[in-house]
Amino acid sequence: MINNAQPPIYEEGLEELMQELKGKYHATNDYRWAILNSDITFITVGTPSKPDGSIDLTHVKQAAKSIGKALRDKEDYHVVVVKSTVLPGTTEEVVKPILEKHSGKKAFKDFGLAMNPEFLREGVALKDFLNPDRIVLGVQDEKTKKILEELYEPINAPKLIVDIKTAEMIKYASNAFLATKISFANEIGNICKKLGIDSWKVFEGVGLDHRISPHFFKTGIGFGGSCFPKDVKALIKKAEEIGENPLILKAVIEVNERQPLKMIELLKKHIPELKGRKIGVLGLAFKPNTDDVRETRAYIIIKKLLEEGASVIAYDPKAMENFKRFYPDVSGGIEYATSPEDVLKSTEIILIVTEWPDFEELDYSGKIVIDGRRIKAAERTARIYEGVCW
Ligand code: UGA
């Protein structure tokens, strides 16, 4: 698919870029060929959570083994860069020994090794890659440092050079802080809701303080996605392993798990008995402009609705296929609509889960809307409108 310029995921601008560059890049599953014909290898595989929240390094280890074997025959200095999100110590204590064992060579002497975390957001990944706030390079040897500085030279952004462990930790601390900001905002938002205060206005005021910044204060049903929940949980596990008790991080997860259920609480204020009712759900992706449904709040909400005996009609512009595949346990109970208008036509009860721009175009007159993401059109036009935290 990649060689045919077909992105296997939906990401804005990616297909156009791949079409433009078709023939100038080459995807292969032949490690040896790839490494003999290049100077740098990035390890970009996933680092999912195990059921207990700890990090699963299976893919990282497999990649390191295959790269190590291929490095045996490489004569020029080749640099291996870990871009996958890995806990502090992983590059040096897990990746390095595997590379050395299978290549028969020494890191930092016969080949380079570095850690270079990514800070891309899904949906705006291309933009984030080309205009990053910073580039963090975790390096040990001078030669690797030079090669990576040269690689990133065309990108105009502050470059922070640190040791490998620090680079690994910068990634976790960044994601944990952003997740904390959201859970903090939601906690204040829940208090605001009870007091009749608009939390979005509150955070507009708070964010004007340049020490705080206005971003990542959107209150609602909490964060999903493949990064925040898994990274915060992995950091908690690691902290506990080394004898720490990370109270704030634990609360960040707890607030986030409670948050989507607030939607159902609010709905029940208006419709106490959900059994037999048809509920419309707008949005299944964990955020707009992506087809990714990992840790989406939609799953928690739909599961609860089905448990309460309601039926669900759902629509998402890009994520319906993925949702069916990822969540077969609830998918059987969902009717998938062909448009958001269809959802509005078939029920008067609407839950807004993802803030796709398409949902701003709708007329919600006559509807009971519980909004998890603050869609202005719904706020303006619905018969009954409730925002989760505002
Ligand atoms: C996040 C980080 O923002 C990236 O910097 C990081 O590189 C990435 O994780 C990663 O580790 O790979 P991403 O998960 O793609 O990126 O998306 P975000 O835009 O951060 O949104 C995450 C979740 O937080 C979404 O469910 C979103 O709806 C929610 N969110 C975000 C809020 O509820 N409120 C906000 O104010 C912002």
Side-chain angles (χ1 to χ4, degrees):
M1 282 179 84
I2 292 171
N3 283 332
N4 285 325
Q6 290 299 313
I9 53 158
Y10 175 75
E11 181 62 44
E12 209 161 85
L14 188 56
E15 189 165 354
E16 293 80 350
L17 185 71
M18 287 171 78
Q19 293 287 351
E20 195 188 316
L21 298 177
K22 196 175 169 184
K24 294 186 182 164
Y25 63 83
H26 190 80
T28 176
N29 47 24
D30 181 346
Y31 275 84
R32 196 170 170 274
W33 182 89
I35 284 167
L36 292 182
N37 289 287
S38 66
D39 303 317
I40 307 173
T41 299
F42 283 93
I43 298 180
T44 62
V45 297
T47 49
S49 295
K50 290 188 190 159
D52 69 350
S54 64
I55 190 168
D56 179 354
L57 290 176
T58 313
H59 307 307
V60 172
K61 287 178 183 167
Q62 268 169 5
K65 184 174 166 189
S66 307
I67 294 165
K69 285 185 180 163
L71 273 179
R72 265 187 187 275
D73 303 330
K74 178 86 182 176
E75 279 168 17
D76 302 332
Y77 199 75
H78 192 86
V79 175
V80 181
V81 184
V82 176
K83 196 164 254 304
S84 301
T85 299
V86 292
L87 284 161
T90 308
T91 301
E92 285 159 298
E93 289 155 29
V94 179
V95 177
K96 180 172 160 275
I98 296 176
L99 289 171
E100 290 181 334
K101 177 175 164 209
H102 293 279
S103 66
K105 296 183 175 176
K106 277 254 145 268
F108 313 120
K109 189 174 141 276
D110 307 322
F111 66 89
L113 179 61
M115 202 284 158
N116 167 219
E118 57 87 17
F119 302 103
L120 314 181
R121 289 164 299 168
E122 283 181 36
V124 277
L126 290 183
K127 203 172 126 247
D128 281 355
F129 182 75
L130 294 168
N131 308 287
D133 285 339
R134 78 296 210 190
I135 291 170
V136 174
L137 298 177
V139 290
Q140 183 167 320
D141 66 302
E142 246 340 276
K143 207 162 163 183
T144 300
K145 175 172 166 256
K146 264 214 164 79
I147 291 170
L148 290 182
E149 277 177 331
E150 202 183 306
L151 174 75
Y152 282 117
E153 218 267 323
I155 294 184
N156 182 20
K159 287 162 192 128
L160 184 69
I161 314 280
V162 292
D163 62 29
I164 291 176
K165 261 203 312 217
T166 307
E168 291 168 329
M169 193 55 163
I170 289 172
K171 171 69 188 185
Y172 277 93
S174 298
N175 272 5
F177 184 72
L178 291 169
T180 304
K181 243 185 138 174
I182 299 170
S183 277
F184 173 79
N186 281 332
E187 186 154 284
I188 299 285
N190 294 338
I191 302 169
C192 286
K193 178 89 189 168
K194 291 259 162 80
L195 295 174
I197 297 166
D198 180 341
S199 66
W200 282 49
K201 270 280 161 239
V202 169
F203 284 105
E204 197 182 318
V206 172
L208 283 170
D209 185 326
H210 75 276
R211 294 169 303 175
I212 298 176
S213 118
H215 306 291
F216 270 68
F217 272 150
K218 286 196 198 123
T219 57
I221 47 178
F223 55 80
S226 66
C227 305
F228 290 163
K230 121 181 133 62
D231 293 348
V232 177
K233 285 179 196 161
L235 190 56
I236 292 172
K237 273 272 157 200
K238 178 77 187 173
E240 286 179 338
E241 239 173 73
I242 54 177
E244 286 299 315
N245 183 15
L247 296 175
I248 293 179
L249 298 181
K250 287 180 183 171
V252 166
I253 295 291
E254 208 178 312
V255 170
N256 198 54
E257 277 167 8
R258 231 173 37 190
Q259 216 53 25
L261 297 174
K262 295 257 166 203
M263 215 176 199
I264 316 278
E265 276 170 37
L266 279 179
L267 177 61
K268 284 181 141 179
K269 220 173 92 186
H270 303 283
I271 319 227
E273 180 60 55
L274 296 181
K275 198 165 181 257
R277 302 302 294 258
K278 189 176 208 177
I279 318 277
V281 171
L282 292 179
L284 298 171
F286 85 95
K287 63 184 262 188
N289 299 320
T290 176
D291 59 357
D292 196 342
V293 296
R294 286 175 289 177
E295 297 273 350
T296 178
R297 307 294 85 192
Y299 171 70
I300 302 170
I301 291 160
I302 290 174
K303 194 161 181 259
K304 182 79 183 152
L305 289 173
L306 296 177
E307 278 166 14
E308 299 259 342
S311 67
V312 170
I313 177 164
Y315 176 77
D316 188 285
K318 298 279 179 206
M320 291 198 287
E321 286 313 311
N322 275 348
F323 195 87
K324 286 179 201 165
R325 233 194 11 250
F326 263 74
Y327 302 111
D329 57 323
V330 295
S331 211
I334 302 175
E335 180 188 337
Y336 290 93
T338 48
S339 70
E341 287 83 2
D342 257 12
V343 176
L344 262 63
K345 251 184 251 153
S346 55
T347 173
E348 52 150 12
I349 311 160
I350 306 291
L351 305 185
I352 300 174
V353 173
T354 318
E355 67 277 34
W356 283 96
D358 315 39
F359 305 156
E360 276 291 357
E361 310 291 316
L362 303 173
D363 179 1
Y364 297 86
S365 312
K367 309 292 174 196
I368 300 172
V369 176
I370 311 295
D371 187 357
R373 302 292 185 190
R374 199 149 207 176
I375 300 283
K376 293 283 175 201
E379 205 172 344
R380 260 193 333 266
T381 60
R383 177 163 63 87
I384 297 175
Y385 175 84
E386 288 258 18
V388 170
C389 297
W390 54 90

